[in-house]
Each structure stands twice: as structure tokens, then as C-alpha cells.
Amino acid sequence: GSNVTLSWVRRTRVGGELIDGTGEVPLAEDSEEYELEILDGPGGAVLRTETGITTTSFTYTSGMQSADFGGAQTELSFVVYQISAQVGRGFPSEATVEIVP
């Protein structure tokens, strides 16, 4: 069992043009915040919710995996929500990833 780093791409809700060519769009929010849900398989029940995440990545520790699943996983499903003072929780983005040791 080892830690798994999950990451995602921040989206913008205003404008959306990549004007400067960096691949970064304007935040257009008061702050950057995300919620993450760990699922029991694709489309499955929510096993864990992490709130107040302020970067586009989260470390899902081996201890968390053991608490949620009873051990390390070879595949992981999760949902990320971008939080906004104007919109709230926003639309979900779901992914299932294979974990390669």
C-alpha cells in the first residue's frame, strides 16, 4: 500500500480564452477550492468526501485506502467539484484511474 496522488485541471467559469498561451485560464473566482469524493467503483457509493482542497491535487494515503477499502487499490474512481461563491459546488467531473505500483 502506497499513497496515490490524484490531480485534475482547473476550469474557468468566465471567459475561458487561453490568451497568454500558458494553458492557464483566469480563476474568475474569489478563491480556488475543490471537493473530492472517493467512490466504491465507477458510479458507486461515496466512501469519502474531502473538502477545502485549495490545489489541483490530493494525496490519497495508504491509510485512507485501508480505512475506505480495507487495503490498497489497483483502480480508483473519484469525483471532483470546483467550488464557487457564485455557483456553489458546480458540475461533477468523474474519473476512474488504474493505479500502477
Side-chain angles (χ1 to χ4, degrees):
S2 60
N3 298 341
V4 175
T5 300
L6 304 172
S7 62
W8 51 88
V9 176
R10 178 180 55 79
R11 304 291 181 185
T12 188
R13 292 188 172 105
V14 176
E17 292 186 49
L18 299 173
I19 296 171
D20 63 3
T22 64
E24 292 291 320
V25 293
L27 181 59
E29 305 287 352
D30 297 333
S31 62
E32 187 171 0
E33 184 179 346
Y34 307 92
E35 287 186 8
L36 173 74
E37 295 177 340
I38 302 296
L39 306 178
D40 188 12
V46 175
L47 299 178
R48 174 181 296 271
T49 301
E50 295 289 333
T51 61
I53 300 169
T54 58
T55 64
T56 56
S57 67
F58 178 79
T59 301
Y60 188 46
T61 67
S62 58
M64 291 172 174
Q65 293 174 60
S66 291
D68 295 343
F69 294 101
Q73 298 298 290
T74 58
E75 186 176 87
L76 190 62
S77 297
F78 64 100
V79 176
V80 175
Y81 296 88
Q82 186 168 319
I83 306 303
S84 164
Q86 293 80 21
V87 178
R89 201 170 188 205
F91 295 107
S93 180
E94 184 173 342
T96 298
V97 295
E98 181 181 352
I99 299 169
V100 180

